[in-house]
Amino acid sequence: MSVIDINQSYFILPSTNILVRGYSRSIVLLLSESNYHYIPNALYEILNLHPDRTIAEIKLIYDNKFSNIIEEYFISLVKRRIVFPLNFSTEHKPQKFIIGHTCDKIIDNAIIEIGEKTITNLKYLINELSELGCEHLMLLSKGKNEKNKIYDFLVSFNNTAFRSIDLAVSWDGTEMNSFIESFFLSQIRLFRVFIYNANENSVNFYDKFRLKQYILSKDNILNKCELSFQTGFVISKSMYVDSISNNNCLGKKLIVTKDGNVKKCLLSNEVFGDITKNTLSQIISKENFWCYMNYSKDEIDVCKDCEFRYMCIDCRFRRTTQDNFSQPVFCTYNPYIAKWQSEDGWISVEQWRAENPGWEEQTIEIRDMNKKRLANND
């Protein structure tokens, strides 16, 4: 594209490419690709404040002092297919492309622990979860040497409508490849297998298309919040929608233990009901079941200043203080310096804040900008 074309073009940000401002840097969430792209905060400001202007008009706003940089920014974004150039007359400027923020599923994901009560009530659980809109399921086995029981459990889900099925199981000491293969063969729609108490820590793929994943951990990961349905970053429309309006971990999740108890989190002792006495619909209709629903990432300390907040799972049961809005305890990222604990130059959030006493005033403008952007997309 020529320089003249660049200057005369408007740039459209597709509804599936979401701008997220952090304290030190910003990202574009590429929801259709399940990926993300870093951008400087200066470029976030341009894209956020001037969506209906041509590049020439944008350059004039900055008195043409940064013309070359602005041009390079947009050429890079076009190559990466983050924005698309369109030519309109000034009388027919393009309308905003916005994404809907509604999600009609009552329960989005669930964990079922394999045991006598869940096996006995399995048909009922499958039907009820399907009626509640559940799409993502994790099956959990805490015992060792339960292969046959697990196989039978997995086979029961072969003709169900769940979009993804994961399995978390303790390694029984047998040859690892055959141990893993046996599960994928018994449930052709199995997406991931988490193997804890393993002999190594690694992330691997079972098939050449990298669609089936198995994760090995030396630890008993049942004691860690990271197992709580998924690990790492999750980039999807549903994750984004949940993150801006609800708690993206506990909001639309339930757990059924092997004893038939319904909980919100593996780490919690709070029980909301028993599947042998009430239906899931009756259990989740209790007001206290939804008490964690409204803790969105834009209200959580530190998270609300982080560029990763709409793709990172948030656990309210493991937080740094008793304050319900405090940072998750397992997070090792400092968004104020854009560094992970494993990187050179990292310091804790607490240390950074102590060394930068005016930090809170600087975040007010950023948070206000984020709120305005979300409001414009409602």
Side-chain angles (χ1 to χ4, degrees), residues 68-95:
N68 291 338
I69 295 175
I70 290 172
E71 207 166 288
E72 288 173 6
Y73 278 162
F74 278 92
I75 290 173
S76 173
L77 292 177
V78 170
K79 287 181 178 178
R80 186 63 182 79
R81 299 180 67 82
I82 291 172
V83 300
F84 294 86
L86 292 176
N87 290 318
F88 290 86
S89 69
T90 55
E91 290 80 19
H92 298 89
K93 291 183 178 180
Q95 300 297 309

Side-chain angles (χ1 to χ4, degrees), residues 192-320:
R192 271 176 298 209
V193 177
F194 297 85
I195 301 173
Y196 55 94
N197 296 325
N199 57 356
E200 63 177 278
N201 294 316
S202 63
V203 177
N204 313 275
F205 292 91
Y206 174 73
D207 63 322
K208 65 180 180 180
F209 301 107
R210 300 172 71 86
L211 298 176
K212 296 181 180 291
Q213 185 183 61
Y214 61 97
I215 300 166
L216 308 181
S217 174
K218 291 181 179 180
D219 299 327
N220 181 357
I221 57 175
L222 296 179
N223 296 326
K224 297 185 178 181
C225 190
E226 293 91 324
L227 173 64
S228 195
F229 201 67
Q230 298 197 44
T231 59
F233 290 146
V234 181
I235 305 170
S236 67
K237 179 179 176 180
S238 61
M239 179 66 169
Y240 169 70
V241 171
D242 285 343
S243 297
I244 64 174
S245 54
N246 310 311
N247 180 270
N248 61 30
C249 179
L250 303 175
K252 296 185 178 182
K253 182 176 76 176
L254 65 77
I255 296 169
V256 183
T257 70
K258 64 180 180 180
D259 299 319
N261 292 324
V262 175
K263 303 167 62 176
K264 270 289 190 181
C265 179
L266 290 168
L267 303 175
S268 171
N269 295 321
E270 188 174 9
V271 174
F272 297 96
D274 185 334
I275 62 169
T276 64
K277 298 177 181 178
N278 299 101
T279 65
L280 285 180
S281 295
Q282 289 171 333
I283 292 170
I284 69 171
S285 66
K286 298 176 181 178
E287 186 175 349
N288 61 338
F289 182 84
W290 302 101
C291 64
Y292 297 99
M293 183 75 171
N294 297 322
Y295 293 105
S296 74
K297 292 300 283 284
D298 286 306
E299 298 176 291
I300 305 302
D301 187 35
V302 184
C303 296
K304 57 189 173 184
D305 298 323
C306 180
E307 65 271 28
F308 299 126
R309 61 188 175 276
Y310 302 139
M311 52 196 271
C312 179
I313 290 177
D314 175 44
C315 179
R316 292 294 85 210
F317 284 101
R318 292 190 68 192
R319 49 190 188 271
T320 51

Side-chain angles (χ1 to χ4, degrees), residues 6-23:
I6 285 279
N7 285 319
Q8 294 177 346
S9 294
Y10 296 92
F11 284 82
I12 303 303
L13 187 74
S15 63
T16 52
N17 293 351
I18 307 295
L19 298 175
V20 185
R21 171 71 188 264
Y23 185 89

